[in-house]
Amino acid sequence: MDKYILETKNLTKIFGKQKVVDNISLKIKKNSVYGLLGPNGAGKSTTLKMITGMIHKTSGEITFEEHQWTRNDLSDIGGLIEVPALYENLSARENLKVRTLLLGLPDSRIDEVLEIVDLKDTGKKKSGQFSLGMKQRLGIAIALLNNPKLLILDEPTNGLDPLGIQELRDLIRSFPEKGITVILSSHILAEVEQTADYIGIIHNGELKYQNRMNHGDNLEKLFMDVVKSGKRA
Ligand SMILES: Nc1ncnc2c1ncn2[C@@H]1O[C@H](COP(=O)(O)OP(=O)(O)OP(=O)(O)O)[C@@H](O)[C@H]1O
Ligand SMILES: [Mg+2]
């Protein structure tokens, strides 16, 4: 039996009076790609922010590698949530250097992650002058610096052209064999269809569907059926 690297149990987030994440129970298998789908405002980013420690949960549990999640687990979790936080006046290498210093990581890791995301040849170019796709890849490089077991990518292909999407998809697909589990959020169904081993569908803060992705499934029909029916997973 494959183990779950991450589980949430009745994870809930309330902002003011709005239950933005409503009793969500995710099961993320080790060394898989899990696609979290849902319309705008469904609660995807909020869920991922709780897992990456950017915001506190209101209630529920998060289990990482079969123990209760604590902030210490963030050393094994890498995240790119919404947009990458870059120092725009610094190059790719300098952006990574700042973080290796903060995290106490060896400089050698900088070249390794630049190689993985294919940004080795950007030289002195400032990251503020990067294309959107290059910025996303640098964001992923930052998320990979600490050698995470779990990589969380929130809408990683946002704004990318078809070539950029294809490249990023190949990159994401390469992670499970390196021992990296990926949670990917998106509202682009085709992207998830070709990348994910498992999918979860969130709507109005509720997890409506969670299952293995069967290639050949009509994800668009499934998505519409799930979002329109009021049922929970
Ligand atoms: N800090 C906050 N304070 C109050 N409400 C918030 C906050 N962050 C998110 N929300 C609300 O929570 C809901 C879910 O937002 P979230 O960003 O998680 O959605 P999403 O699924 O990531 O959507 P998208 O696909 O547009 O990125 C929205 O109604 C949003 O307005
Ligand atoms: Mg979002």
Side-chain angles (χ1 to χ4, degrees), residues 15-16 18 20-21 38-47 49 82 154-155 185-187:
F15 284 120
Q18 191 189 1
V20 168
V21 173
N40 290 131
K44 302 182 296 295
S45 297
T46 306
T47 301
K49 282 176 187 170
E82 291 172 343
D154 187 23
E155 311 272 359
S185 90
S186 183
H187 45 250

Side-chain angles (χ1 to χ4, degrees), residues 5-209:
I5 188 163
L6 185 106
E7 287 179 82
T8 69
K9 215 169 178 188
N10 297 326
L11 187 63
T12 297
K13 180 71 188 180
I14 299 173
F15 284 120
K17 287 182 181 162
Q18 191 189 1
K19 212 181 240 187
V20 168
V21 173
D22 186 358
N23 285 287
I24 283 189
S25 300
L26 297 173
K27 287 178 183 292
I28 316 293
K29 281 233 166 89
K30 217 175 166 70
N31 298 332
S32 68
V33 176
Y34 187 103
L36 195 58
L37 287 164
N40 290 131
K44 302 182 296 295
S45 297
T46 306
T47 301
L48 300 180
K49 282 176 187 170
M50 290 189 273
I51 298 169
T52 49
M54 290 165 72
I55 57 172
H56 291 289
K57 60 185 165 65
T58 304
S59 60
E61 289 168 32
I62 304 175
T63 307
F64 182 72
E65 295 211 297
E66 295 174 13
H67 61 258
Q68 194 183 326
W69 179 103
T70 69
R71 297 198 73 84
N72 289 338
D73 293 311
L74 295 178
S75 60
D76 287 320
I77 299 176
L80 170 56
I81 307 288
E82 291 172 343
V83 287
L86 303 177
Y87 298 101
E88 300 238 315
N89 57 337
L90 299 184
S91 68
R93 187 173 294 277
E94 288 164 347
N95 264 284
L96 292 162
K97 175 75 186 174
V98 172
R99 280 157 175 105
T100 52
L101 283 171
L102 282 171
L103 296 167
L105 295 167
D107 270 5
S108 55
R109 191 64 193 141
I110 296 176
D111 283 305
E112 288 169 16
V113 295
L114 284 173
E115 174 88 45
I116 294 171
V117 301
D118 198 18
L119 278 183
K120 276 196 104 162
D121 302 324
T122 53
K124 291 200 174 106
K125 189 168 198 161
K126 293 182 168 60
S127 63
Q129 291 159 4
F130 282 7
S131 73
L132 213 51
M134 291 163 76
K135 284 183 183 172
Q136 289 297 76
R137 290 213 297 266
L138 181 53
I140 295 174
I142 291 168
L144 285 170
L145 265 182
N146 61 343
N147 257 315
K149 294 176 186 168
L150 177 63
L151 179 65
I152 295 185
L153 303 174
D154 187 23
E155 311 272 359
T157 56
N158 234 349
L160 299 197
D161 65 20
L163 189 66
I165 291 176
Q166 174 68 47
E167 284 174 7
L168 200 59
R169 190 187 293 147
D170 293 345
L171 178 63
I172 290 168
R173 279 297 341 156
S174 74
F175 287 136
E177 68 201 35
K178 297 189 179 105
I180 303 172
T181 307
V182 182
I183 305 178
L184 159 87
S185 90
S186 183
H187 45 250
I188 305 168
L189 302 180
E191 172 187 316
V192 173
E193 198 157 11
Q194 292 171 45
T195 320
D197 304 303
Y198 293 87
I199 56 164
I201 301 177
I202 298 184
H203 183 42
N204 289 337
E206 294 178 7
L207 185 68
K208 302 282 193 181
Y209 181 89

